[in-house]
Amino acid sequence: MSLHPRARIHTDTIVANWRAIASLAPDGEAGAVVKANAYGHGVGPVARALHQAGCKTFFVAYVEEGAALRDAIGSAADILVFNGAEQEDRALIQKAGLVPVINSLPALRDWLSHDDTVPYAVHLDTGMNRLGIRPEDVPELMDLSSAHPPAHVMSHLVDSDVPSNPLNARQRSEFRDLSASFTAARKSFANTGGCYLGHTYGFDITRPGIGLYGGGPTPPETVTIRPGMTLEAPILTVQHVAAGETAGYGAEWTFATPRTLATVALGYGDGFPRSAGNRGYASLGGQRCPIVGRVSMDLITIDVTSAQALAKPGAFAQFIGAEVPLEDQAKRAGTVGYELVTGLGDRVRRIYE
Ligand SMILES: *Cc1c(COP(=O)(O)O)cnc(C)c1O
């Protein structure tokens, strides 16, 4: 019996989600964003499954993530590194065959001053004001890069989760105009939310991340996205409490009626947010079991009164999965699915199915 929290990773589902999102932009190629250890799902198994399914372009944030990914999938795929590269990364970039995304004019000058053979990408800022070369600097970019133009040009949507925001279409047309000058470059624009906005957001390569893992904004009706992981915690003990008793640190939760409680092995030390205390829930055999009291470092207590027959030490309660939608749990903890899955630590055993 393993009394550790575990995340069962559904690589087939992640591939199915990728295919479903890819079908929204059939004229382009669907890439896959696998930064932050494939959003906590495990970059090796996830990227290998996607690569086998035909994914040819991957995106990570750091050079080191790219190098680990290269080891996992071999040479036959493009790997782009969002946060760019310093001169000191050059050897690893070349060895691992990575494509750095250059995010500013100074970084581009620096990159081109040392080498003119390594392919690179350029990020154009169409409104995020975070990373990327601003529209007014594009003439200088063209000038600088004329001898060695970028292989990819990309931009990033500010508010793709909100389809009604007119900024989406404005960014799209700005990107279309700015990127048109780079005739040889492949164009990439849409994250998951962008893919959901329609095929005109697709350009040459899409960059879905969170949707592959079952989170993010609601997809269009034609697309079904399922959870990429099932996060489960084993029951350690079951106890019966009387009306008027309290649960856990700070005695924050007082029971109005007699209840049955289960204490499970999962806590903020595993990356499960403390802010889910008194708000989040687990599922036991499909029955909703609210978190009662605070989330401790290694433990959470849930009210299993509605699922007494299943509440036995060693049984697993679900905290993310088909019965507990990622974004629902995240919202109760005051966060988003992205933070919830990327925050899960190494104590959560990943099991690949
Ligand atoms: C993380 C990231 C993505 C993926 O976004 P999702 O919302 O997870 O689909 C795409 N593009 C860039 C530049 C990113 O940083």
Side-chain angles (χ1 to χ4, degrees):
M1 191 162 68
S2 165
L3 295 181
H4 293 77
R6 67 186 186 194
R8 293 192 287 117
I9 308 298
H10 314 301
T11 48
D12 288 353
T13 303
I14 293 169
V15 166
N17 290 342
W18 178 72
R19 289 207 169 103
I21 294 172
S23 74
L24 295 171
D27 300 336
E29 177 194 330
V33 180
V34 294
K35 60 193 178 187
N37 198 26
Y39 291 45
H41 293 66
V43 67
V46 167
R48 274 193 294 272
L50 288 168
H51 191 229
Q52 250 168 27
C55 182
K56 293 195 278 296
T57 306
F58 292 88
F59 299 87
V60 294
Y62 292 104
V63 172
E64 290 75 12
E65 290 183 331
L69 174 58
R70 181 62 77 203
D71 287 344
I73 59 173
S75 59
D78 289 340
I79 300 174
L80 277 75
V81 180
F82 286 143
N83 283 9
E86 302 282 298
Q87 289 305 332
E88 66 192 46
D89 301 319
R90 191 173 282 278
L92 192 52
I93 288 269
Q94 277 176 307
K95 178 162 165 279
L98 309 177
V99 179
V101 179
I102 305 296
N103 291 300
S104 71
L105 285 181
L108 182 66
R109 273 188 216 102
D110 184 48
W111 188 253
L112 293 178
S113 69
H114 287 72
D115 194 288
D116 59 0
T117 57
V118 179
Y120 67 97
V122 163
H123 188 157
L124 304 177
D125 189 342
T126 54
M128 184 72 104
N129 297 324
R130 187 176 68 170
L131 281 181
I133 293 170
R134 298 177 62 84
E136 62 268 27
D137 292 332
V138 167
E140 194 174 348
L141 162 63
M142 306 241 0
D143 217 36
L144 274 172
S145 64
S146 57
H148 180 35
H152 297 255
V153 177
M154 57 170 270
S155 190
H156 197 37
L157 283 157
V158 170
D159 201 20
S160 62
D161 291 10
V162 182
S164 61
N165 191 333
L167 192 50
N168 293 318
R170 272 213 304 277
Q171 281 191 274
R172 179 187 52 187
S173 53
E174 175 118 78
F175 181 62
R176 191 177 282 139
D177 292 348
L178 293 174
S179 66
S181 318
F182 300 90
T183 45
R186 305 190 72 203
K187 322 286 190 302
S188 176
F189 187 59
N191 65 337
T192 299
C195 293
Y196 295 169
L197 292 175
H199 67 96
T200 55
Y201 285 77
F203 291 87
D204 297 327
I205 312 173
T206 57
R207 302 192 305 273
I210 193 71
L212 308 179
Y213 311 103
T218 309
E221 267 169 25
T222 51
V223 167
T224 303
I225 295 296
R226 290 179 297 129
M229 77 160 60
T230 304
L231 175 68
E232 298 171 320
I235 294 177
L236 302 179
T237 61
V238 176
Q239 55 273 330
H240 302 279
V241 295
E245 291 195 66
T246 62
Y249 285 124
E252 276 179 5
W253 185 289
T254 305
F255 301 101
T257 56
R259 312 301 292 173
T260 303
L261 308 181
T263 297
V264 304
L266 179 70
Y268 63 78
D270 302 296
F272 192 82
R274 189 169 176 276
S275 51
N278 293 318
R279 291 190 189 85
Y281 65 98
S283 172
L284 195 56
Q287 297 296 316
R288 184 176 289 212
C289 301
I291 295 176
V292 291
R294 294 183 189 167
V295 170
S296 314
M297 189 183 296
D298 320 305
L299 301 169
I300 293 173
T301 299
I302 56 176
D303 183 335
V304 294
T305 311
S306 65
Q308 304 232 6
L310 296 168
K312 301 273 188 289
F316 279 85
Q318 184 181 114
F319 283 78
I320 296 171
E323 295 159 15
V324 186
L326 171 61
E327 295 298 341
D328 189 20
Q329 186 77 288
K331 201 169 176 189
R332 286 160 188 271
T335 183
V336 288
Y338 298 89
E339 188 178 18
L340 188 44
V341 287
T342 56
L344 296 175
D346 289 342
R347 294 202 309 187
V348 177
R349 294 187 175 169
R350 272 47 168 203
I351 295 164
Y352 294 92
E353 331 195 295

